Amino acid sequence: MTLRELPVLSPATPHVHGSEAHGVPAPLDPFQASPDFVRISMASALALRYRSGKFARDFAFGGINLLLNYEDGCRSDCGYCGLGRSRPGDYDEKSFIRVEWPIVPTDDLVDRVVRYEEQMTRLCISMVTNKRSYPDTLDISKRITARTGVPLSVLVAPPTLNEDRLVALRDAGVDMIGFGLDAATEDVFVRHRKDVPAGGGLKWDQYWRLIHAARRVYGPWKINCHTLVGIGETDLDLMRIFDDLKREQIFSYLFCFNPEPDSRMGEWPKSPLVRWRRIQLAKWLLEENDVALSEFRFDSDGALVGLGGGVELASAAVESGMPFMTNGCPSAGGTPGCSRPYGSYRPSEPFRDFPFQPVGVDIEGIWDDLRLDELTAQ
C-alpha cells in the first residue's frame, strides 16, 4: 500500500473524544435540528476533538465544514447528491460526499472553535433547500461571528435567498458566498436536478441571477461556484465556464463527481483519473498563468487534446504541485483555508485533490496520471 492509498482514519470511533465528552450538552430536541444542532464533516470532527483518530498523512487542517440538519431534509433532489430526496434512508443518516457527518450542538461547536482558534483557517455553513434554512443560517452565522474572527463562508441554497438576504448574511459577518452550481452547462444542470415539491428555485437562470447579485453585494473574488467533473459535461464546457467566471472575478472551485450509493446517479462511472488531472492542470494554466482559452485545443467532441502555454509552463506547474491541491476559500492570510480532505475520492483511492501541497512521490504519481506527452505532442 502506497502513501497515496492510505486510509483516512485510524481508528474511526462513533463516540466523542474522551476528555471532550463531558463538554457536550444534552440534546435540545429529539431530532437534533438546526439551528441548535449542525452536522460537521468527519475531518472537522477530528480537528475539533469530537472524534479520535488521525489522517494518514500529517498536515495542518483547520477548515471546518457545517451542514444544516432537518427532519424533512433538503427539499431538492439532485441526482448526484447524497442528500437528495429520492435517495433511500432517513435524512439524518444520509452521507454527503460519501463521508459521515456527525451531529453536534451548535453552541458547543462554537466553544471548540474558540478553544482551538489558532488552528482554525475557515468555517463554512452549507445550506440545504428548506424553508428554515435562511433564518437558521443567519442565526448560526451570528453565533459564530460574535465569538471568533475565523473567516466564515456560506454555501448557499439559491431557492431560499434573494439580494436582501445576501446583504443580511454579509452584515452578520459572512465574508464569502459559494454556489453549488455543479453543472458546467444549462443542459447538464437541467438533466440532473429535480425541482422542490412546491415548485420554483432550481433553475439555471435563477442561480445566475443570484450569483450576479452576490457579486454586487460582496465584490470581486468573494464569490465562488462549485463545478463538477464527470456528470455529462465536456472538457470544453468546463474550460468555458472557468474562463467566464474568471472574467467576472468569481472563483471556480473544482470537484470530482464521486457517486453516492443508492442515489439516482449511484451507478454512474467516475471520471477517469487522467481526465481529472488534465482538467486540473488546464484550469490552473488558464486561471493562474493567464493562458488564453483560445490556446487550448479540443476535438470535435469537446475533449481536451492540447494544452495552451507550452510544455515548459505546463511542466513547471506540475512540478509545483499547486494545480492539484483542493480548491477552497482562503484563510485570513490568503493561504488555502478549506481543504476538504477526501471530498472527491475514497480514502483507499489515490488523492484526487490534495489537502496539502503534493511533493515527491505525489508528483511522480501525478506525472503518471497525466500522460502529458499525449497532449503536448498534439
Side-chain angles (χ1 to χ4, degrees):
M1 181 177 290
T2 69
L3 287 175
R4 304 173 77 228
E5 298 171 334
L6 287 172
V8 60
L9 299 178
S10 178
T13 56
H15 50 75
V16 296
H17 193 278
S19 62
E20 300 284 341
H22 66 277
V24 181
L28 302 181
D29 66 59
F31 179 76
Q32 300 182 319
S34 298
D36 292 315
F37 289 85
V38 291
R39 298 172 72 176
I40 59 173
S41 69
M42 180 59 74
S44 301
L46 290 176
L48 294 173
R49 282 59 165 184
Y50 281 109
R51 295 291 177 95
S52 60
K54 61 182 180 180
F55 295 107
R57 299 276 290 273
D58 186 22
F59 63 95
F61 174 79
I64 306 302
N65 295 104
L66 290 64
L67 176 66
L68 299 186
N69 194 52
Y70 301 111
E71 192 164 12
D72 55 345
C74 181
R75 307 309 296 153
S76 298
D77 193 20
C78 303
Y80 46 82
C81 182
L83 303 178
R85 285 184 296 112
S86 63
R87 189 185 183 198
D90 294 333
Y91 180 76
D92 61 336
E93 296 177 348
K94 291 181 180 180
S95 62
F96 183 48
I97 59 172
R98 295 192 62 152
V99 295
E100 182 187 355
W101 287 67
I103 300 171
V104 301
T106 302
D107 289 337
D108 186 69
L109 169 77
V110 177
D111 287 343
R112 294 184 188 221
V113 169
V114 172
R115 187 180 315 163
Y116 304 115
E117 186 160 350
E118 290 186 0
Q119 303 167 35
M120 301 293 101
T121 55
R122 167 72 58 175
L123 302 173
C124 183
I125 305 170
S126 292
M127 301 176 69
V128 297
T129 306
N130 189 291
K131 64 183 178 182
R132 292 174 54 183
S133 196
Y134 165 68
D136 290 346
T137 299
L138 186 62
D139 178 332
I140 294 167
S141 297
K142 289 178 178 178
R143 296 191 200 192
I144 290 169
T145 58
R147 299 192 55 205
T148 177
V150 178
L152 175 63
S153 302
V154 172
L155 180 61
V156 300
T160 71
L161 296 177
N162 54 36
E163 189 162 345
D164 288 342
R165 291 181 171 187
L166 289 169
V167 170
L169 289 170
R170 180 200 64 190
D171 292 347
V174 176
D175 82 318
M176 294 196 76
I177 293 291
F179 289 85
L181 187 64
D182 301 330
T185 68
E186 183 174 10
D187 176 68
V188 175
F189 183 97
V190 171
R191 195 185 317 165
H192 298 311
R193 291 184 186 261
K194 290 183 179 179
D195 214 343
V196 292
L202 294 186
K203 303 290 191 293
W204 179 258
D205 289 344
Q206 196 268 356
Y207 266 61
W208 280 103
R209 282 195 298 272
L210 202 66
I211 290 167
H212 292 137
R215 173 63 176 80
R216 290 192 298 271
V217 171
Y218 283 80
W221 306 118
K222 289 294 185 178
I223 309 302
N224 64 80
C225 289
H226 293 187
T227 46
L228 274 172
V229 175
I231 58 172
E233 76 297 321
T234 68
D235 298 346
L236 179 57
D237 292 334
L238 288 162
M239 293 298 288
R240 280 174 172 164
I241 199 167
F242 300 155
D243 191 52
D244 289 344
L245 291 170
K246 179 185 175 184
R247 292 175 188 277
E248 297 195 44
Q249 298 177 300
I250 296 172
F251 286 117
S252 175
Y253 293 160
L254 194 63
F255 291 74
C256 188
F257 171 58
N258 196 14
E260 296 272 7
D262 302 321
S263 67
R264 287 192 287 115
M265 294 178 66
E267 300 301 318
W268 268 55
K270 194 167 184 175
S271 179
L273 190 55
V274 61
R275 182 193 181 206
W276 168 251
R277 288 280 183 248
R278 291 174 176 181
I279 292 297
Q280 286 179 302
L281 178 56
K283 177 177 182 286
W284 178 267
L285 294 172
L286 183 145
E287 293 178 344
E288 302 298 330
N289 293 123
D290 294 322
V291 178
L293 179 59
S294 59
E295 294 188 41
F296 296 87
R297 296 192 303 280
F298 304 87
D299 66 15
S300 59
D301 294 323
L304 181 69
V305 295
L307 291 173
V311 175
E312 290 186 6
L313 188 63
S315 296
V318 174
E319 284 297 323
S320 76
M322 298 293 288
F324 313 101
M325 293 179 66
T326 307
N327 292 158
C329 294
S331 66
T335 56
C338 178
S339 55
R340 302 186 311 275
Y342 300 92
S344 291
Y345 51 96
R346 301 296 292 160
S348 60
E349 298 173 341
F351 285 96
R352 290 263 168 164
D353 39 33
F354 290 80
F356 49 82
Q357 189 168 355
V359 295
V361 67
D362 305 316
I363 300 297
E364 293 175 13
I366 289 168
W367 277 115
D368 291 342
D369 298 336
L370 276 166
R371 304 206 297 268
L372 195 56
D373 58 319
E374 297 177 7
L375 291 183
T376 54
Q378 295 294 327

